Amino acid sequence: MAIAKDDTVLRLLCHLAWLRDLVGTGSKHRTLGWARRVYNSAAHLQFRFVYPHQPRDRVAESSRPILAKAIETVVAAASDAIEPLRGGAVGEDSALDSAAAREVHDALNVLLDTANRIGWGGVHAPKEDATLDRPVNPLRLLAEWRRRHGGGKQAGLHNASGYTANDEAMVELCKGIATKLVANHSRAMGRVPTSASEVFHEAADAHLSVDLDEFSRTGGDQLIQRFAAQLLRTRVRRVR
């Protein structure tokens, strides 16, 4: 179901502006943890650019190349900067190389100036929003996008007959539960290669998680919510 108000793009830009300004207050903030926050938020912003959740997030064709390049530059610079974290040898409090910090900071400046110039997301001012630092989960992001763009059409077909947002959320949740049950209990899963099975489980979890969140927002039945939440915590591996 499409959500009427979604200011995620603006919030991401404000948060990135806050992160940009943070390193200007002292070298102690130039850490790998800061670069990771930039990377996560920029990657979420990149997804919203590629998969707009609503019409106002779309960018004029003439502005798309320059904005795409600006976002990609931030993502790439921050990704390179946090490479030491991926090996697990250092912690997030470790100091970031000054050259890397400068590269990420400069890339953020270009991105924010570009977004402001073309009016993307609205007028942004530095403001921290730690909820936007969550790790990037492509499957969940795609599931959220599908939820917004798939459900609305179905609701439109039923509005005349009293079909409510809760009814729609219930239908989607049932689909998510069914997919998860197949992943956990279908005999066919026992014949699927392990690597493919892992992807299927991850996709099932991502879709059910999004559907459960939406069902909860509509005030859906608590018993069904508890069942779906418990299902999300289980992973049954069939013996081959």
Side-chain angles (χ1 to χ4, degrees), residues 122-145:
V123 179
H124 59 268
K127 183 179 180 181
E128 182 182 19
D129 188 339
T131 63
L132 301 175
D133 289 333
R134 67 189 187 281
V136 178
N137 183 332
L139 286 172
R140 181 177 174 85
L141 290 175
L142 284 170
E144 290 175 346
W145 186 84

Side-chain angles (χ1 to χ4, degrees), residues 202-221:
E202 290 173 8
D205 287 348
H207 284 284
L208 179 55
S209 177
V210 170
D211 293 333
L212 177 57
D213 287 348
E214 182 64 21
F215 188 69
S216 299
R217 280 196 290 269
T218 65
D221 185 273

Side-chain angles (χ1 to χ4, degrees), residues 170-239:
M170 179 64 156
V171 169
E172 294 299 322
L173 181 61
C174 286
K175 292 178 184 178
I177 289 173
T179 303
K180 181 62 175 171
L181 288 173
V182 169
N184 281 0
H185 303 291
S186 172
R187 287 187 177 183
M189 291 300 296
R191 299 190 293 272
V192 174
T194 301
S195 58
S197 176
E198 287 295 321
V199 173
F200 190 86
H201 273 288
E202 290 173 8
D205 287 348
H207 284 284
L208 179 55
S209 177
V210 170
D211 293 333
L212 177 57
D213 287 348
E214 182 64 21
F215 188 69
S216 299
R217 280 196 290 269
T218 65
D221 185 273
Q222 293 290 316
L223 182 61
I224 297 176
Q225 288 186 48
R226 288 196 294 271
F227 172 73
Q230 178 61 36
L231 194 58
L232 267 175
R233 293 192 289 269
T234 62
R235 169 85 59 100
V236 177
R237 298 183 182 279
R238 300 191 62 85
V239 177

Side-chain angles (χ1 to χ4, degrees), residues 80-93:
D80 289 344
I82 63 174
E83 186 59 36
L85 283 177
R86 298 189 176 104
V90 296
E92 295 200 352
D93 291 336

Side-chain angles (χ1 to χ4, degrees), residues 84-125:
L85 283 177
R86 298 189 176 104
V90 296
E92 295 200 352
D93 291 336
S94 299
L96 181 63
D97 175 79
S98 59
R102 187 164 52 251
E103 183 178 359
V104 174
H105 188 270
D106 290 346
L108 278 173
N109 271 330
V110 172
L111 168 59
L112 293 166
D113 288 346
T114 301
N116 184 59
R117 187 167 66 254
I118 67 176
W120 190 46
V123 179
H124 59 268

